[in-house]
Amino acid sequence: MGVAIRRKLRALYPTPCERAAVPPDSLVTNDAPVIEIRNLHKCYGAIEVLRGVDLVAPRGHVVSLIGSSGSGKSTLLRCCNLLEDSQQGDVIFEGESVIWTGTGLDRRQADRAQVIRIRTNLSMVFQQFNLWAHMTVLQNVMEAPVTVLRQDPAAVEARARALLDKVGIADKADAWPAMLSGGQQQRAAIARALCMEPRALLFDEPTSALDPELEQEVVKVIKALAEEGRTMILVTHDMRLAADVSDHVIFLHQGKVEEQGPPERVFANPQTERLRGFLRSAN
């Protein structure tokens, strides 16, 4: 594996000493929040993308973020995973507040060990798969646990093969990513995220790059994960998916929470004209 990939992995994930010692419990359902966002503000220069957003993702629940392009959904997700700094507000993981230094545009994450300990427990699935082209599907799924966490390769391989079977592509373990359809690549990316044994999964428009037929392959996997009781935050343009899997739906408009609630209320009886208009256009 190249030096650049090693550095990228180590920037995202901790060494074994830095990783939380508590075993994964992402399948336990209770009311304890895994992720909390309080009064979050995020700016890019003079442009304020998030303007005082609150979010709570309880353990075992699925929270979906919906809204028009540019409403701040993906930025909020990246702030949850600490891939972005914010200028004001709190990011809390399992009761532990992220420590910051500086204020405003100069605010930065202050404790690297804390950041990587949190981030390693929040696996993210991106819109554009991000599989390493020079590695087989199995190698992609195994890479971070073996190289960064230094877990036993035999144990990781067994887990990786089981996860590939879980997402329906066990027969593609030795294939190169370029040999897979878009839906298969995204399912491989989900298996890779699961192989880190995270406390929560973050999905950033996981089906938007796929045509309708391939989209359903990925939707089926996401629904199965939701039925298992995994903690997930899902940014999606697919209102049917959000309605089917969510415990809570948040509608963002121009960087603020315009409306939120259980899916049966949000989709069947929207309270604001903006949400009613968005749902009409989405449908």
Side-chain angles (χ1 to χ4, degrees):
M1 182 181 64
V3 173
I5 292 177
R6 287 183 188 273
R7 288 175 178 168
K8 184 176 181 180
L9 281 169
R10 284 171 179 159
L12 289 172
Y13 301 117
T15 65
C17 292
E18 293 170 320
R19 185 176 169 93
V22 181
D25 57 356
S26 59
L27 302 186
V28 177
T29 303
N30 57 43
D31 293 329
V34 176
I35 302 168
E36 291 183 78
I37 299 293
R38 297 178 182 170
N39 191 35
L40 199 74
H41 292 254
K42 170 65 182 177
C43 302
Y44 293 107
I47 301 173
E48 192 171 15
V49 179
L50 299 176
R51 301 186 292 156
V53 173
D54 296 318
L55 176 151
V56 178
R59 191 175 314 283
H61 288 232
V62 179
V63 177
S64 287
L65 304 176
I66 64 172
S68 302
S69 296
S71 60
K73 307 183 301 297
S74 293
T75 299
L76 177 56
L77 199 69
R78 291 175 65 84
C79 287
C80 287
N81 203 33
L82 303 178
L83 293 173
E84 297 276 359
D85 290 316
S86 53
Q87 281 63 63
Q88 182 182 334
D90 297 313
V91 179
I92 304 166
F93 176 74
E94 295 190 327
E96 178 183 0
S97 295
V98 173
I99 302 169
W100 304 94
T101 183
T103 59
L105 292 174
D106 295 322
R107 190 166 95 147
R108 299 290 183 270
Q109 300 154 8
D111 186 340
R112 177 180 179 274
Q114 180 193 47
V115 169
I116 56 182
R117 185 176 66 251
I118 291 172
R119 188 180 290 154
T120 193
N121 285 297
L122 297 174
S123 286
M124 195 156 174
V125 178
F126 297 91
Q127 177 179 345
Q128 297 296 339
F129 324 137
N130 292 341
L131 298 175
W132 287 301
H134 66 291
M135 297 181 182
T136 66
V137 169
L138 180 63
Q139 289 169 337
N140 265 277
V141 176
M142 292 178 59
E143 189 60 35
V146 170
T147 302
V148 181
L149 302 183
R150 300 176 188 173
Q151 294 180 351
D152 175 61
V156 174
E157 180 176 351
R159 184 165 80 239
R161 289 188 182 277
L163 288 169
L164 289 173
D165 183 59
K166 182 187 188 73
V167 300
I169 54 170
D171 60 326
K172 303 297 183 182
D174 297 320
W176 304 102
M179 300 167 64
L180 274 58
S181 69
Q184 290 168 336
Q185 289 189 59
Q186 190 62 292
R187 285 184 281 163
I190 293 172
R192 181 175 61 181
L194 290 169
C195 205
M196 289 297 289
E197 300 181 309
R199 304 292 182 85
L201 289 164
L202 310 179
F203 290 89
D204 189 8
E205 297 278 14
T207 62
S208 63
L210 305 174
D211 63 43
E213 183 179 357
L214 298 179
E215 179 178 352
Q216 291 310 306
E217 298 176 3
V218 177
V219 166
K220 182 178 178 181
V221 173
I222 294 172
K223 287 181 177 180
L225 294 174
E227 289 170 1
E228 290 178 0
R230 291 187 180 270
T231 307
M232 299 192 289
I233 300 179
L234 174 67
V235 171
T236 184
H237 68 286
D238 186 334
M239 297 302 102
R240 182 174 297 178
L241 174 61
D244 286 347
V245 305
S246 302
D247 297 288
H248 193 78
V249 177
I250 297 175
F251 170 56
L252 288 176
H253 176 72
Q254 295 183 352
K256 300 184 73 173
V257 176
E258 180 77 14
E259 192 169 339
Q260 61 180 310
E264 57 270 20
R265 205 272 300 153
V266 168
F267 292 113
N269 187 27
Q271 301 298 298
T272 64
E273 182 53 40
R274 285 199 182 100
L275 178 54
R276 286 192 288 269
F278 170 76
L279 292 177
R280 283 195 299 269
S281 64
N283 292 327

